[in-house]
Amino acid sequence: MNYLEITANFFNVISTFFVSRNSLHTWWTGIVSYLLFVMVFFQVKLYADVSLQIFFIITCVLGWINWKYGGAQKKPLPVSRVTLKYFLACIAAALCGTFIYGSILLHFTQASCPFWDSAVLVFSITAQLFVMKRKFENWYLWFIADTIAIPLYYSKGLHLTALLYVGLMCIGVYGYFCWKRELSGC
């Protein structure tokens, strides 16, 4: 554990809290967090996670714009849901993507834990795309990604980051209920 990891985790917690509250501040705090995590994951050779952080930086910019102006008549985008069929198709695609990316890492890099690392990558990407569109089901996808990430990061000596992901799961439960309340109009 080092100051870089501590600072990245701090900004990640803040960003996750903001997303649970459906706040635009999630995006700029996320950018700071992901920039720092690029360096953290590169140091421990979790290359899929490095790629993921770069993806997150890009999607933070796009998500920020989408949340602010992506609704009808360029108004803020409301929270909405996807169909079960669409959600299950996304899960199937994420599983296929995990196998493909894991195979690439296995054969062409020195990545440690290529398939677990890839699962975190692919499910996090899918969840982030759902967040960008303010889709309620993002919370289920984050739960899957976090459940895989916790033991992976712990096994790589990133104990603070593993603990962070436990906290992120707790914030995710809070976010689930906040977004559910917003969907019901209460």
Side-chain angles (χ1 to χ4, degrees), residues 7-155:
T7 307
N9 280 298
F10 171 77
F11 277 98
N12 199 302
V13 167
I14 299 300
S15 178
T16 303
F17 176 75
F18 281 140
V19 77
S20 74
R21 301 291 301 157
N22 208 11
S23 168
L24 282 174
H25 293 293
T26 190
W27 301 112
W28 74 264
T29 54
I31 291 169
V32 172
S33 171
Y34 302 136
L35 284 168
L36 296 170
F37 270 122
V38 164
M39 295 178 271
V40 169
F41 290 129
F42 188 80
Q43 290 174 350
V44 295
K45 296 183 179 182
L46 288 174
Y47 301 126
D49 277 303
V50 171
S51 302
L52 179 60
Q53 304 314 304
I54 293 167
F55 170 82
F56 280 157
I57 292 165
I58 294 166
T59 58
C60 278
V61 172
L62 297 174
W64 198 342
I65 293 166
N66 197 42
W67 275 32
K68 192 161 174 98
Y69 304 110
Q73 299 172 347
K74 298 201 181 227
K75 302 258 181 183
L77 189 67
V79 173
S80 62
R81 298 195 76 142
V82 298
T83 65
L84 178 61
K85 184 177 178 179
Y86 180 81
F87 184 71
L88 293 175
C90 289
I91 295 286
L95 290 171
C96 289
T98 296
F99 176 76
I100 291 167
Y101 199 71
S103 296
I104 291 168
L105 290 179
L106 179 66
H107 295 308
F108 298 107
T109 73
Q110 295 177 349
S112 58
C113 309
F115 290 99
W116 293 112
D117 194 18
S118 295
V120 172
L121 169 88
V122 174
F123 278 94
S124 295
I125 286 173
T126 308
Q128 183 74 353
L129 292 172
F130 275 54
V131 170
M132 286 175 58
K133 295 291 188 178
R134 273 193 167 146
K135 297 299 180 187
F136 174 77
E137 291 78 8
N138 82 84
W139 299 111
Y140 301 123
L141 295 162
W142 284 122
F143 183 78
I144 294 168
D146 293 348
T147 300
I148 298 165
I150 292 166
L152 173 65
Y153 297 156
Y154 189 85
S155 74

Side-chain angles (χ1 to χ4, degrees), residues 167-182:
L168 294 179
M169 287 179 81
C170 295
I171 295 171
V173 170
Y174 173 73
Y176 171 90
F177 287 108
C178 286
W179 284 41
K180 188 171 187 161
R181 185 173 50 242
E182 186 162 327

